[in-house]
Amino acid sequence: FLIADGGNVEVVGIEDGIVAVRMTGACGSCSSSYATLKGGIEKTLLHVFGSHAVKEVVNLDSSEPGSALSLSRQAVESHLEKLSGAIHNYGGAVTVLDVTDGTCLLEYSGPVALAQSIASSIKGKFPLVRECKIKQV
């Protein structure tokens, strides 16, 4: 169905049951791509492999600088730079110390709730990040 409509899907990686894909061609900009991802691709993979093997399918947008596809310290820093005004306004400061093997290590000062929000934001932006370790200073 995807190819017939001018699109396709590429599997980028699989880690801990999260299948990372890139929607390409017409699928990359189609307003129905999320429905296709969840209702078609994810549903099929769950049916074939089961929920013990597949937890979720996520679309990685590789055209955006600092996208989830380019998981690196620099990509996470770029993402946090966009949030820096809000982090500062809520009394926080954060530095990315390392990003390796699905773990993001942060140095942080400020309210605990804000640290949790920052970690959630990183995990939401970068689905291949399994854990954010926060070193409070």
Side-chain angles (χ1 to χ4, degrees):
F1 292 101
L2 298 177
I3 294 172
D5 290 336
N8 209 342
V9 64
E10 172 188 355
V11 176
V12 177
I14 303 170
E15 192 167 325
D16 292 332
I18 298 174
V19 180
V21 302
R22 182 183 311 130
M23 306 290 280
T24 61
C27 291
S29 60
C30 176
S31 61
S32 299
S33 64
Y34 184 79
T36 299
L37 183 74
K38 295 296 179 177
I41 298 167
E42 184 173 276
K43 186 176 178 180
T44 300
L45 291 175
L46 283 167
H47 176 74
V48 172
F49 297 105
S51 60
H52 63 280
V54 176
K55 293 179 187 168
E56 183 180 14
V57 177
V58 295
N59 183 22
L60 304 180
D61 176 15
S62 66
S63 64
E64 179 183 328
S67 74
L69 179 61
S70 60
L71 179 58
S72 66
R73 180 178 175 175
Q74 292 79 20
V76 174
E77 287 172 342
S78 174
H79 174 65
L80 290 177
E81 179 64 31
K82 295 174 188 173
L83 305 175
S84 64
I87 291 169
H88 177 75
N89 287 342
Y90 285 105
V94 64
T95 303
V96 180
L97 298 177
D98 193 25
V99 177
T100 52
D101 298 325
T103 300
C104 180
L105 178 60
L106 306 174
E107 185 174 82
Y108 174 78
S109 64
V112 173
L114 181 58
Q116 293 167 343
S117 294
I118 292 168
S120 292
S121 175
I122 291 170
K123 288 171 134 182
K125 174 69 176 178
F126 302 95
L128 297 180
V129 170
R130 293 185 315 271
E131 180 181 20
C132 278
K133 293 183 178 180
I134 299 171
K135 178 182 171 186
Q136 188 82 23
V137 292

